[in-house]
Structure formats: C-alpha cells, structure tokens
Amino acid sequence: MSDLYKGWVATLAAHPDWPIDQVRRLFEHWGDVTGEPGDVDYVEADAGGVPALWAIPKGASADHVIQATHGGGYVVGSRYSHRKLFGHIAKATGVRTLILDYRRAPEHLHPAPVEDAVTAYRWLLGQGYQPRNIALTGDSAGGALAVTTLLALRDRGLPLPSASAPLSPWSDLLATGKSNTENEERDHFVKRHLAANLSAVYLGDKGESPARRDPLASPLYADFAGLPPLYIQVGGDEALLDDASRLAEAARAAGVDVTYEVWPEQQHVFQFLAGTAPEADDAVAKLAGWLRARFGLNAAAA
C-alpha cells in the first residue's frame, strides 16, 4: 500500500498539469493491490439513474443489501477501482452490495454525490428492500458519504438503514485535526496539499467557503441525533485519524451506538489489501461480522 501511494504522490508532483481524465486513469489502479475475492459476480446496474455495479457473492442473501460509496476525494475513483474491495466485503458478509458511481467534481460539485447516494437508496427501497435490511459503507470521501447519506435521509423524513460502516472517513474538509500534520510523514498518501486541492475542486472554492462546515460536506459538524449504529475503522498512521476519532466522539455524544477501531501502523484505507495482507483480511472479517449482527443474520451461515 505504501509503495502504491508513494508512487501516486510522486507521479502527481511530476505532472501538475495533467488533465482530470489522466489523473482518474492513474487512480483506477487502486484495486491493483487487492486480491480477487472469487465467487463474486459483478453486474452493471442503473440505480434510479445512478450508474452502479452489483457485487453478488455466491449464495448471497436475497433480502439484504449494502450500498457502497467509493473514495477518491469526490474527484477520482469509481465502481471499478473499488470493485474488489467491496467484493471482499460483500463476500465476507454474504450480502449483495451495490457500488455506486456517483457524480464527481469538477463536473458536478457538492452536494451531487450526496444526492446520488440518496437517489440510489430510494431506488433500493423501490426494489423492495426493507430499511432494516440495508446498510451503508464507503471509504475516505465515500466513508463520509456513508454518514452524510444518513443525515440527508433523516432530514428528509425517509426511513433509515440499519447501520453504516465508514472506513477512514474524510469528515472534516476544514482539516482541523492534529493528525493532518502529526501523521503527514507516516501517511504516504493523504498530504495536506492534496486534501486541500480536492476540497477546493469538490466545493468549487478557494478554501474559504462556508460549505466546508456544511454537515453534508463535513459530517464532523453534523447533528447526529437519531442515526443508526456506526462502525468506523481507521489506520493508525493516517492523516485522517482525527477525522475518524472525532466523528466517533461526536456521534457517541449524540447517543449513537458507535464501534470505533484504530488499526496500528496501517495506511489510508488499508482494507484495499484484502486478499493479500492479514491485517486487511481481519478488518474485513470484523466489519462483515458486525454487519451480519446488525442484519440479524446467522454468523455460522457466512
């Protein structure tokens, strides 16, 4: 994981004028470090107008579903770059997983990704899935979406899913956490300048926009009252460590059932190493066990 991230940072520094399509092609290789989960079928889908990809494990529950949102700062990443990561989660949980290709910046600014996640969730309800049998997950910016989607659903009076599992959530676009500086050398990917650039692209601003405190952009500043249980995983060497820890603290203070885990010496979204590293496999297995418990599924049947 470290070598992949170091290579990306060096490549971007060497090509500051690359067009967005070229940058996106670079990040489509995110899944190169992930082992193929096997026994998972992938089927293209249209989730109410949102392009998506089903990850369907062999013998998956027909009644339960996970809605997954990929990371990439709302600018890069796709259902394909994250196919294998969410395929591992789908397989370990034994549940069909819908991987969204929400609209990205700079073509589509905030709150387009949140709107697409809400649209896809409404579509799942329309397909007959019961809210208690739906869970959300996502990584980095997609991890934030796994929380902001809950906020948008709650505020619109829609029934909430049973749970959400954000991985390394990017919860504070103001970057006020101490780990942004204290862990910058240990984190080989999320550098302050990179995060600042992605924030500016997503919000269409120069860094001073009030939208950086908008709970649908920075869920750290949200009112968490009434949200379902959260399970947050983060690597101990991450610049976004405080984004995760403070999100967990704020949600707990609002009465939300929060499980929060720091995985020592791990990089940003280390779960990408599923199928190739025991730490990632263990994290995915714990995540799957937690989701199955929220769904009321028999763990022995996984």
Side-chain angles (χ1 to χ4, degrees):
M1 204 82 204
S2 294
D3 290 342
L4 177 71
Y5 286 161
K6 288 176 181 177
W8 281 353
V9 170
T11 298
L12 292 174
H15 301 90
D17 297 324
W18 262 4
I20 187 62
D21 288 346
Q22 183 68 33
V23 175
R24 285 173 175 162
R25 282 194 290 273
L26 178 69
F27 283 89
E28 282 302 298
H29 290 279
W30 218 331
D32 289 358
V33 298
T34 314
E36 188 66 59
D39 291 327
V40 178
D41 294 326
Y42 299 93
V43 180
E44 302 283 345
D46 181 331
V50 180
L53 185 71
W54 280 112
I56 308 173
K58 302 297 184 184
S61 167
D63 300 325
H64 300 80
V65 63
I66 300 168
Q67 178 171 297
T69 43
H70 68 80
Y74 305 106
V75 175
V76 301
S78 72
R79 54 184 154 169
Y80 306 114
S81 65
H82 284 58
R83 172 186 66 82
K84 289 189 284 184
L85 168 62
F86 292 131
H88 276 282
I89 292 174
K91 181 178 179 179
T93 312
V95 169
R96 296 163 62 96
T97 297
L98 185 68
I99 310 167
L100 306 185
D101 248 346
Y102 55 82
R103 289 170 293 169
R104 299 173 298 185
E107 299 92 337
H108 305 281
L109 303 182
H110 171 69
V114 183
E115 295 297 333
D116 285 355
V118 170
T119 295
Y121 182 83
R122 286 181 182 269
W123 180 80
L124 288 174
L125 295 178
Q127 298 299 302
Y129 289 101
Q130 297 300 309
R132 66 178 180 276
N133 292 337
I134 304 175
L136 309 182
T137 193
D139 69 291
S140 195
L145 274 174
V147 179
T148 55
T149 303
L150 297 176
L151 300 171
L153 294 173
R154 179 200 62 190
D155 293 347
R156 297 178 194 193
L158 292 167
L160 296 179
S162 63
S164 183
L167 310 178
S168 304
W170 187 27
S171 69
D172 180 16
L173 270 60
L174 288 168
T176 59
K178 292 182 179 179
S179 60
N180 284 284
T181 54
E182 292 177 349
N183 275 0
E184 186 167 23
E185 293 302 316
R186 288 188 288 272
D187 189 318
H188 300 306
F189 178 39
V190 184
K191 304 300 182 181
R192 282 177 293 174
H193 71 277
L194 175 61
N197 288 342
L198 289 171
S199 298
V201 171
Y202 178 47
L203 299 175
D205 70 7
K206 299 298 183 182
E208 303 298 332
S209 169
R212 288 175 186 251
R213 284 191 178 273
D214 178 353
L216 295 185
S218 294
L220 179 63
Y221 304 104
D223 172 8
F224 296 96
L227 296 194
L230 301 177
Y231 177 43
I232 302 171
Q233 292 181 344
V234 66
D237 282 356
E238 291 200 48
L240 298 185
L241 177 61
D242 284 350
D243 279 50
S245 65
R246 293 185 298 158
L247 181 69
E249 291 169 4
R252 280 186 183 135
V256 178
D257 178 2
V258 179
T259 301
Y260 172 66
E261 293 178 350
V262 178
W263 292 71
E265 301 179 353
Q266 296 302 308
Q267 288 290 309
H268 186 57
V269 198
F270 66 95
Q271 296 86 350
F272 260 103
L273 294 173
T276 64
E279 296 85 358
D281 290 338
D282 289 347
V284 168
K286 293 193 71 173
L287 171 60
W290 185 87
L291 286 173
R292 290 183 64 83
R294 303 289 80 73
F295 283 143
L297 295 173
N298 180 5

